[in-house]
Amino acid sequence: MVVRSEEADNGIRVFDSNSNPVGVSKAAGSKAIKETALSRATLFGTIAAFPPLLLALLKRVTFVQRNPMIIAPVRHISTAIIFGLMIPVSFSLFPQFGKIKKKRLKGGVSVT
């Protein structure tokens, strides 16, 4: 949210249903930042949660108990796999061009 705070302060361009520019909206900028932050939180939250859960389950297996050196490669490989799988998922949570209702824009659109 810090990186994209300029979009909330200055707003982003808003288009009508025919792709004609209408103006700039701070409300649309705030909505875009929230959606971006949520998609990134989903990406990194899954990456932070899944490998430790997998390792907790694997530590119960007798093969892993006899060979504890296998834990580090499994942690790294599972992190890479989850990261690779979650990137498209997190990017597809919200559309590239979002929609916002007119009533949320009232008084908040400056015409360019």
Side-chain angles (χ1 to χ4, degrees):
M1 291 181 85
V2 173
V3 173
R4 304 200 74 157
S5 64
E6 184 178 322
E7 292 175 359
D9 295 339
N10 300 330
I12 60 172
R13 292 182 67 185
V14 179
F15 300 90
D16 64 9
S17 59
N18 297 323
S19 299
N20 299 319
V22 176
V24 177
S25 171
K26 290 182 181 182
S30 294
K31 182 178 184 275
I33 290 172
K34 288 175 190 171
E35 290 177 355
T36 301
L38 182 60
S39 70
R40 299 310 185 267
T42 302
L43 172 66
F44 293 115
T46 305
I47 293 170
F50 187 78
L53 291 174
L54 176 66
L55 292 176
L57 292 173
L58 284 178
K59 286 180 182 178
R60 296 179 180 188
V61 177
T62 55
F63 174 74
V64 176
Q65 290 173 351
R66 280 188 262 137
N67 301 305
M69 296 296 285
I70 196 82
I71 291 176
V74 169
R75 178 183 297 128
H76 292 94
I77 291 169
S78 67
T79 301
I81 290 171
I82 295 302
F83 188 69
L85 293 173
M86 283 305 296
I87 286 176
V89 171
S90 70
F91 288 173
S92 66
L93 285 176
F94 300 102
Q96 183 70 30
F97 292 98
K99 295 180 180 180
I100 190 166
K101 295 183 180 189
K102 283 183 184 179
K103 66 181 180 181
R104 289 195 59 201
L105 296 175
K106 296 258 185 206
V109 176
S110 59
V111 178
T112 56

